[in-house]
Amino acid sequence: MYCNYCGKAVQDDANVCAYCGTRVGAVLARKRLIRPRAGRKIAGVCAGFAEYFDLDITLVRVVWLISVFLGVGLSLIAYVVAWIVMPDEPVALPTAAPAGQHATNP
Ligand SMILES: [Zn+2]
């Protein structure tokens, strides 16, 4: 598996990343508030909250848009803050099968 913080490969049974010291085992098991790469419209903040709270992503967007109009820009600031704070979903790296085994190209 890979460290969510520094992206380096760590042992599958490791609890702490050997490179940066970030906890990796427990963090992976826990549900994390991240911005998924799939299904995002702007930055994936709404998609991340929808995934985290098991809500419909459209519902999250509607509620957020309404709050933008009611909150006079406060929600926009909150969105940007969430954009900065929430980490991107880690890129799906081929851990099981090494790249190059897929003989799709002749
Ligand atoms: Zn690390």
Side-chain angles (χ1 to χ4, degrees):
M1 64 181 175
Y2 291 85
C3 173
N4 287 322
Y5 187 76
C6 66
K8 289 205 167 80
V10 292
Q11 284 184 320
D12 283 343
D13 56 346
N15 291 320
V16 175
C17 174
Y19 298 97
C20 66
T22 305
R23 288 186 64 83
V24 284
V27 171
L28 278 178
R30 195 162 51 91
K31 210 172 185 183
R32 296 176 66 237
L33 186 56
I34 55 169
R35 293 185 284 114
R37 293 183 184 278
R40 60 168 62 171
K41 283 267 189 239
I42 302 171
V45 171
C46 288
F49 276 104
E51 200 167 279
Y52 188 84
F53 293 110
D54 274 331
L55 295 169
D56 193 296
I57 184 168
T58 309
L59 179 75
V60 175
R61 288 197 177 113
V62 167
V63 168
W64 177 76
L65 270 174
I66 291 170
S67 72
V68 166
F69 290 117
L70 294 180
V72 199
L74 256 181
S75 296
L76 277 175
I77 297 168
Y79 188 93
V80 173
V81 168
W83 189 343
I84 296 165
V85 169
M86 282 166 69
D88 261 328
E89 180 184 29
V91 181
L93 294 166
T95 50
Q101 283 193 352
H102 303 284
T104 47
N105 294 325

